Amino acid sequence: MQIENLIKKMATNDKKTTDKATERKDRIIVDLKGAVKKPAVYTLKQDSRVNDLLLLTGGVTDQADTKSINLAQKLTDEMVVYVASIGEDKSVEIVGTKAHDDVDSATAQATDKININTADLAQLQKLSGVGLKKAQDIIDYREQNGKFNQPEDLGNVSGFGEKSLEKLKGSVAVD
């Protein structure tokens, strides 16, 4: 009888260990900074968005520049989310890992082109004729349809016609 109880206990412990390992794989860790009520490092579900993070953390301060926040943007593991204050030069900055940023910086400096498959909201707005709305449209299209195969695929995004494409021709790249 004792052996049966011991086997059951061992099986239960193995299941708990497996559940914890699976749970960690389904989680991401995000660093929240700036004009927020509770800046810190948070653990969230893998498919979380900026809105989920801000709801979990108590939201932004009265000084936050709320117009610059893309609440729908998906979060990734090791991401830093920085919410700017009103009047601050930066808008919301969302960056990935340090290694990823170094590669993006080196690529951007070498080519002076913006990769429309990896650029965030702020980077896309640096393109001629692309404001907040068009930048968000590019990101929404990319999330729904996958990566752009060629710069001309921007023509599939609402608001980008032949004139826009011609204007952006030397400024955008795809990976």
Side-chain angles (χ1 to χ4, degrees):
M1 188 77 165
Q2 279 185 329
I3 293 176
E4 289 175 357
N5 288 338
L6 185 61
I7 291 171
K8 285 180 184 178
K9 186 175 181 180
M10 288 173 61
T12 303
N13 285 341
D14 283 347
K15 183 176 182 344
K16 286 180 184 175
T17 303
T18 304
D19 288 346
K20 284 183 180 181
T22 302
E23 185 177 306
R24 282 188 213 117
K25 289 180 185 174
D26 294 342
R27 299 284 184 190
I28 58 171
I29 299 175
V30 179
D31 186 4
L32 179 63
K33 300 177 181 204
V36 292
K37 291 184 179 174
K38 297 178 187 173
V41 175
Y42 293 93
T43 302
L44 296 109
K45 291 181 183 176
Q46 192 169 17
D47 60 347
S48 296
R49 298 184 183 261
V50 171
N51 188 57
D52 300 324
L53 175 64
L54 293 176
L55 288 173
L56 173 73
T57 63
V60 298
T61 66
D62 293 338
Q63 293 81 30
D65 183 4
T66 56
K67 291 180 182 176
S68 64
I69 303 172
N70 176 5
L71 296 173
Q73 183 160 4
K74 289 183 181 179
L75 300 171
T76 60
D77 194 32
E78 299 181 16
M79 189 177 261
V80 175
V81 177
Y82 179 82
V83 179
S85 296
I86 296 171
E88 192 173 351
D89 202 16
K90 283 185 165 183
S91 59
V92 171
E93 184 176 321
I94 300 180
V95 295
T97 63
K98 174 87 173 96
H100 182 263
D101 292 343
D102 290 345
V103 170
D104 281 352
S105 295
T107 303
Q109 289 172 357
T111 64
D112 284 339
K113 291 186 178 186
I114 294 178
N115 185 333
I116 56 176
N117 284 325
T118 59
D120 63 18
L121 203 60
Q123 291 169 323
L124 290 169
Q125 289 180 71
K126 292 177 184 175
L127 293 169
S128 175
V130 177
L132 182 63
K133 169 103 173 75
K134 280 189 174 183
Q136 187 60 56
D137 288 345
I138 292 170
I139 291 170
D140 291 344
Y141 180 88
R142 188 173 68 202
E143 287 178 354
Q144 292 172 4
N145 300 292
K147 292 186 172 190
F148 293 94
N149 294 318
Q150 55 191 4
E152 292 78 17
D153 289 347
L154 268 177
N156 297 329
V157 178
S158 175
F160 287 90
E162 284 184 40
K163 289 181 182 178
S164 297
L165 293 176
E166 191 61 38
K167 189 191 269 187
L168 296 172
K169 196 173 187 177
S171 309
V172 297
V174 294
D175 57 7

